[in-house]
Amino acid sequence: MKSNAVIAIHGGAGTILRASMAPEVETRYLDALSGILAAGQRILAAGGSALDAVEQAVRLLEDCPLFNAGHGAVFTSAGTHELDASIMDGRTLEAGAVCCVKHVRNPVLAARRVLEKSEHVLFTGEGAEAFAAAQGLEFVDPGYFHTDARYRQWLLARGEARAMLDHDGATLEAKAAANASADSLPHEPIDPNRKFGTVGAVALDAHGHLAAATSTGGITNKQVGRVGDAPLIGAGCYADDATCAVSTTGSGEMFMRMVAAYDVAAQMKYRGVSLSEAATNVVMEQLPRIDGRGGLIAVDAQGNVVLPFNTEGMYRGYARVGEAPVASIYV
Ligand code: ASP
């Protein structure tokens, strides 16, 4: 029997202007996405679960400094890092999540442990860290999450006295760089280490099961204690074998207010529409009603994959078992 197994990932959405991205930077992003897709694809090809595949993909995205999760996470208004992550198993509807963690190296691993080892779904702050410590997960000094590029982006956001999506921050930084060197390089490419993005993965395994995971540092210059959609089941992450698996990225407050990830599943369930129709409706019609910006990735039980976004770009890709990974950035 032919397997429909497939994995899709995202590395955040936002104002990613082609003019400000040097070709070698673009290649670096595409290579990172393809490599991580291949790692998830190997798990699925070996008959592994969708849950294992999305956990592994998000763990690798957290470790990659190009993206806003784990190492390379954005700064809060206090110059600290507060990380959120979630994971959901479409087979059982079990879910786990953590938010506002400051020392757990891979928040998605903590979310997976919550799913498997706890009767609860979401742990916050100190409680989340105590749970992760009891599970023997790796802890790091907060300095591990620091990158100079993120720090500069935070200084710019503070200067504008606002919180922003990470890729908008990178664009602001590119403008500052271009202004500083206007005589020589009007479109100076962004330093490869200066662009990042929230991450997520969705997968269908060879056994017909779905899973989703999402992980983020949040938005640059966010207030201490602010939590977005990423760790909230139904807003930033959702999976149900009966419909689809979804991971989102964008202005978290709007995704929470629209219960965006669940709305895709709910439209399929109650309106009887296809994955493509449901996802397009959420991203292109529902979220814009409240100025919600961003996108999502989703897969259904037949292996259909959609990656819609309403911003200029979204780091994204998918890989079917037996086929080469496909990664893209722009429309
Ligand atoms: N959705 C994330 C949040 O609001 C941010 C992002 O996707 O870049 O925390």
Side-chain angles (χ1 to χ4, degrees):
M1 192 180 79
K2 186 179 176 301
S3 166
N4 287 334
V6 61
I7 183 165
I9 62 174
H10 70 76
T15 308
I16 308 168
L17 297 177
R18 192 185 289 266
S20 62
M21 189 177 292
E24 61 271 24
V25 179
E26 201 173 314
T27 303
R28 184 177 291 210
Y29 272 93
L30 293 173
D31 287 351
L33 291 168
S34 297
I36 292 167
L37 282 167
Q41 192 184 36
R42 278 194 292 277
I43 292 175
L44 296 175
S49 70
L51 199 60
D52 283 346
V54 297
E55 177 196 292
Q56 173 69 352
V58 170
R59 187 180 74 74
L60 293 171
L61 286 159
E62 285 175 342
D63 286 347
C64 178
L66 294 176
F67 303 105
N68 166 26
H71 179 54
V74 297
F75 286 79
T76 69
S77 58
T80 54
H81 303 278
E82 295 182 349
L83 312 176
D84 308 329
S86 58
I87 190 165
M88 185 161 185
D89 185 351
R91 185 174 65 87
T92 60
L93 300 189
E94 289 174 317
V98 294
C99 61
C100 281
V101 295
K102 298 177 182 171
H103 304 90
V104 179
R105 175 182 165 143
N106 289 108
V108 73
L109 299 186
R112 174 78 185 263
R113 295 298 176 96
V114 175
L115 181 155
E116 279 180 345
K117 307 284 186 194
S118 167
E119 59 182 317
H120 305 301
V121 170
L122 173 61
F123 282 96
T124 183
E126 284 175 19
E129 299 213 324
F131 177 83
Q135 292 295 320
L137 293 183
E138 183 178 349
F139 274 54
V140 290
D141 182 89
Y144 165 79
F145 301 113
H146 176 107
T147 53
D148 289 345
R150 276 295 184 198
Y151 186 70
R152 285 193 295 272
Q153 201 179 80
W154 174 60
L155 292 177
L156 285 166
R158 276 178 85 199
E160 296 233 327
R162 65 181 175 105
M164 64 177 80
L165 287 179
D166 55 340
H167 298 306
D168 292 343
T171 304
L172 190 64
E173 192 175 3
K175 280 184 193 152
N179 286 342
S181 58
D183 292 344
S184 51
L185 289 167
H187 293 301
E188 181 170 312
I190 298 172
D191 179 297
N193 290 322
R194 297 187 191 185
K195 291 170 68 67
F196 309 88
T198 286
V199 309
V202 295
L204 166 70
D205 64 31
H207 315 285
H209 299 306
L210 297 170
T214 306
S215 181
T216 190
I219 53 177
T220 298
N221 207 34
K222 66 184 182 182
Q223 271 188 262
V224 171
R226 175 266 187 192
V227 176
D229 59 325
L232 300 185
I233 298 303
C237 178
Y238 193 73
D240 180 354
D241 280 4
T243 49
C244 61
V246 183
S247 173
T248 69
T249 177
S251 44
E253 281 70 11
M254 316 312 165
F255 282 69
M256 290 155 80
R257 289 162 57 195
M258 279 292 166
V259 202
Y262 179 68
D263 196 26
V264 178
Q267 291 201 32
M268 292 176 72
K269 190 168 166 180
Y270 299 118
R271 290 179 61 214
V273 299
S274 67
L275 176 74
S276 167
E277 191 174 332
T280 304
N281 179 270
V282 170
V283 173
M284 301 303 186
E285 292 179 42
Q286 302 308 323
L287 283 164
R289 284 172 53 202
I290 54 171
D291 202 24
R293 299 177 54 238
L296 58 82
I297 55 172
V299 59
D300 68 15
Q302 285 70 51
N304 295 303
V305 172
V306 291
L307 312 99
F309 53 96
N310 61 27
T311 48
E312 284 83 356
M314 180 167 85
Y315 296 108
R316 64 196 187 280
Y318 65 92
R320 296 188 181 281
V321 167
E323 296 178 19
V326 178
S328 3
I329 301 174
Y330 309 104
V331 175

